[in-house]
Amino acid sequence: MNDNLGALTAHYDRLRSQKFTVPGVTKSDGKPLVVYFDPPTNAQGQQIRQRAGTTDESKITLYTVIYLAKDENGKRMFEDDAATVQALTENVPGRTLAQIAGAIMRFSSEADLGNS
């Protein structure tokens, strides 16, 4: 691996393990819902667009959350199955999904990085 490639991959490693507290959403234990994530790679972005099967932003938002939102242990929070897609589509406000996907897709300040 050349020095430039090494610098880029090391930079990505520093961007991992970020978190987003979903505004106004609490779990059954009363604690806020926190979504953990790594910034998406180009390969993940392509996978999400392919799974969405369209350029429709609402479907890309949905699959961004399904594929990239993780719990505190690094496990995907949501399964990619019909029940999850239906629940997230019909029972969760689009704004809430957009907030989660927006957090995953945004450029974070150094103070917000998980491994800085």
Side-chain angles (χ1 to χ4, degrees), residues 17-64:
S17 302
Q18 296 184 50
K19 64 182 178 178
F20 174 70
T21 302
V22 183
V25 179
T26 55
K27 299 187 298 184
S28 60
D29 62 6
K31 294 180 182 177
L33 177 64
V34 178
V35 175
Y36 295 80
F37 61 93
D38 300 331
T41 63
N42 282 336
Q44 290 168 321
Q46 183 178 15
Q47 180 185 30
I48 289 164
R49 286 187 298 277
Q50 199 169 46
R51 178 62 178 96
T54 180
T55 58
D56 179 354
E57 288 298 319
S58 63
K59 283 199 173 191
I60 292 171
T61 295
L62 170 71
Y63 287 105
T64 296

Side-chain angles (χ1 to χ4, degrees), residues 1-104:
M1 182 180 312
N2 72 37
D3 190 46
N4 298 319
L5 187 55
L8 287 171
T9 57
H11 175 71
Y12 180 72
D13 286 340
R14 287 189 301 275
L15 297 176
R16 291 179 177 269
S17 302
Q18 296 184 50
K19 64 182 178 178
F20 174 70
T21 302
V22 183
V25 179
T26 55
K27 299 187 298 184
S28 60
D29 62 6
K31 294 180 182 177
L33 177 64
V34 178
V35 175
Y36 295 80
F37 61 93
D38 300 331
T41 63
N42 282 336
Q44 290 168 321
Q46 183 178 15
Q47 180 185 30
I48 289 164
R49 286 187 298 277
Q50 199 169 46
R51 178 62 178 96
T54 180
T55 58
D56 179 354
E57 288 298 319
S58 63
K59 283 199 173 191
I60 292 171
T61 295
L62 170 71
Y63 287 105
T64 296
V65 173
I66 289 173
Y67 278 75
L68 301 179
K70 298 191 266 184
D71 65 17
E72 63 275 3
N73 298 314
K75 183 179 175 208
R76 278 179 41 182
M77 292 180 85
F78 305 104
E79 295 295 322
D80 182 10
D81 59 22
T84 300
V85 170
Q86 182 177 10
L88 290 175
T89 302
E90 296 178 5
N91 301 319
V92 177
R95 179 179 182 198
T96 302
L97 285 181
Q99 287 175 316
I100 297 168
I104 292 170

